[in-house]
Amino acid sequence: MDKIKSHKDLKVWQESMTFVTKIYKVSEGFPKHEVYGLTAQIRRAAVSIPSNIAEGAGRKGENEFTRFLYIALGSLSEVETQLEISQRLNYVDNIEEINKSIYFIRNMLSNLIKSLK
């Protein structure tokens, strides 16, 4: 962990920032009546991923960093669930590409957690 100067140096943070923009774009097509429901919820969960990575990286100690990485993993699972709900409600057609991003970010987070233990 000492080798990075900033959370921005972390590939998982960079990927999760790109992921947030994908979620915002996908959720733009959600019905207007979902603006305070599913749209807000999925965006909030997506934003939580890089935010928790950044906050954890800014904390002292690997244990705290690990705790925030687990929170980011939880937020990623939230987004995955909300995307599934969106697909079942026919708000989105194909979530395969986004699911690839979820898988990739999940693996990076898991590997980073393992490296900190």
Side-chain angles (χ1 to χ4, degrees):
M1 184 58 204
D2 295 329
K3 296 175 185 164
I4 66 163
K5 295 178 183 172
S6 167
H7 60 276
K8 293 180 181 181
D9 295 330
L10 294 168
K11 180 76 173 159
V12 68
W13 180 85
Q14 296 165 8
E15 289 294 325
S16 62
M17 289 293 287
T18 300
F19 182 72
V20 171
T21 60
K22 289 179 185 177
I23 293 300
Y24 265 74
K25 288 177 183 173
V26 164
S27 62
E28 282 175 358
F30 288 6
K32 296 296 177 212
H33 67 270
E34 287 289 358
V35 73
Y36 298 110
L38 193 54
T39 304
Q41 186 67 27
I42 198 169
R43 288 177 173 185
R44 197 170 18 259
V47 167
S48 178
I49 300 163
S51 299
N52 277 291
I53 295 167
E55 185 170 356
R59 298 286 181 129
K60 291 186 179 180
E62 292 176 354
N63 287 341
E64 276 196 272
F65 188 23
T66 301
R67 184 169 65 88
F68 280 92
L69 293 175
Y70 277 118
I71 294 169
L73 268 174
S75 295
L76 187 64
S77 292
E78 277 187 70
V79 173
E80 185 176 34
T81 298
Q82 293 155 359
L83 276 170
E84 178 70 27
I85 292 167
S86 302
Q87 188 174 40
R88 290 178 182 208
L89 293 171
N90 296 314
Y91 295 168
V92 291
D93 292 328
N94 187 355
I95 58 173
E96 185 176 324
E97 202 59 42
I98 294 175
N99 280 334
K100 287 179 186 178
S101 295
I102 290 170
Y103 179 78
F104 187 57
I105 293 168
R106 180 175 288 124
N107 281 338
M108 285 191 292
L109 283 169
S110 296
N111 288 334
L112 182 53
I113 289 168
K114 285 177 192 171
S115 77
L116 293 171
K117 288 186 172 185

